[in-house]
Amino acid sequence: MTHPIRIAPSILAANFSKLGQEVRDVVDAGADWIHLDVMDGHFVPNITFGPDVIKSLRSYTDATFDCHLMIAPADSFLEAFAKAGCDILTVHAEAGPHLHRSLQTVKALGKKAGVSLNPATPESALEYVLDSLDLILVMTVNPGFGGQKFISVMEEKIRRIKAMVGDRPIEIEVDGGIAPETAGVVTGAGANVLVAGSAIFKGGSVEAYRAAIEAIRTPAEKGR
Ligand SMILES: O=C(CO)[C@@H](O)[C@H](O)COP(=O)(O)O
Ligand SMILES: [Fe+2]
């Protein structure tokens, strides 16, 4: 199944003092989804924001809220993120303790379910949960921070995941170091959702965001 290319700006790189306006501006500039990086200072060595901040952003746009949960364990917080207005809840396979149960909980909350894999985690971790998934998030950097370099061996991993997915209607998302230079590489390997933080938010205006999104979308479309 072929999904459209989607550009999902990560607000981790936005101006946190005016997040609502940043979300509105980047959607006006052509963003398809808003990527929300939730970090707990335990699963990853950084802390960001939780469901209350997401809830306060919900009134700024109808765009899909794509929530990347870098928290362990995630299960006791899933309901709060669902109620905050997230559309997709992605948990890490490494966060445990029961990945299958986490995915069933997300589905029971009426949300789309995603699994993310750290760079060192093999794609075989997905084998027995494939039929519960709406999205697979391939980390192309180690999670925790924006502005890191794309790990090029992840191209092969995306390719293998694309083959595993087959005809299932699962979206393949990539996250970390996505920029005009890497966009075509990841879509050529099979990804269709491209998260980008620093490559989009560096400009600070709607016009700059529009140019940055197009600078990723064009090679992403060509790379397919
Ligand atoms: O999940 C993460 C980092 O853990 C990402 O979503 C980053 O926010 C991406 O930032 P860039 O690499 O695009 O600057
Ligand atoms: Fe992310």
Side-chain angles (χ1 to χ4, degrees), residues 5-10 32 174 177-187 192-202 208-224:
I5 297 289
R6 306 186 201 275
I7 308 297
S10 160
D32 300 299
V174 285
I178 302 301
E181 307 73 48
T182 47
V185 173
V186 293
T187 56
N192 75 288
V193 185
L194 282 71
V195 175
S198 45
I200 290 178
F201 280 102
K202 58 178 186 275
Y209 298 163
R210 185 173 292 119
I213 289 170
E214 276 321 298
I216 292 173
R217 198 187 297 280
T218 303
E221 298 279 6
K222 273 198 194 137
R224 280 192 135 174

Side-chain angles (χ1 to χ4, degrees), residues 11 19-20 23 36 53-61 65:
I11 62 164
L19 267 186
V23 164
L36 301 159
V53 170
I54 295 175
K55 191 174 173 191
S56 75
L57 295 175
R58 194 57 285 188
S59 61
Y60 285 82
T61 181
F65 273 7

Side-chain angles (χ1 to χ4, degrees), residues 10-13 35 37 39 44 68 70 137 139 141-149 175-178 195-199:
S10 160
I11 62 164
L12 186 62
H35 184 80
D37 287 307
M39 303 186 186
V44 288
H68 178 190
M70 287 164 273
L137 170 50
M139 287 308 298
V141 299
N142 286 295
F145 303 96
Q148 302 180 80
K149 192 173 177 294
D175 187 4
I178 302 301
V195 175
S198 45

Side-chain angles (χ1 to χ4, degrees), residues 66-160:
D66 170 36
C67 186
H68 178 190
L69 293 169
M70 287 164 273
I71 62 178
D75 289 22
S76 58
F77 295 100
L78 293 173
E79 186 174 357
F81 283 102
K83 285 189 172 153
C86 297
D87 301 289
I88 304 166
L89 292 173
T90 295
V91 295
H92 266 263
E94 307 85 358
H98 305 293
L99 177 60
H100 190 274
R101 176 175 288 139
S102 303
L103 297 171
Q104 297 314 303
T105 304
V106 172
K107 292 290 198 183
L109 289 164
K111 302 298 177 181
K112 293 201 167 167
V115 171
S116 182
L117 300 181
N118 284 336
T121 304
E123 62 280 4
S124 58
L126 302 168
E127 196 174 343
Y128 296 103
V129 295
L130 268 186
D131 291 320
S132 308
L133 294 181
D134 298 294
L135 178 142
I136 296 166
L137 170 50
V138 183
M139 287 308 298
T140 43
V141 299
N142 286 295
F145 303 96
Q148 302 180 80
K149 192 173 177 294
F150 178 81
I151 300 172
S152 55
V153 71
M154 291 300 105
E155 179 186 352
E156 175 62 17
K157 187 170 172 183
I158 299 161
R159 238 177 254 290
R160 290 185 189 192

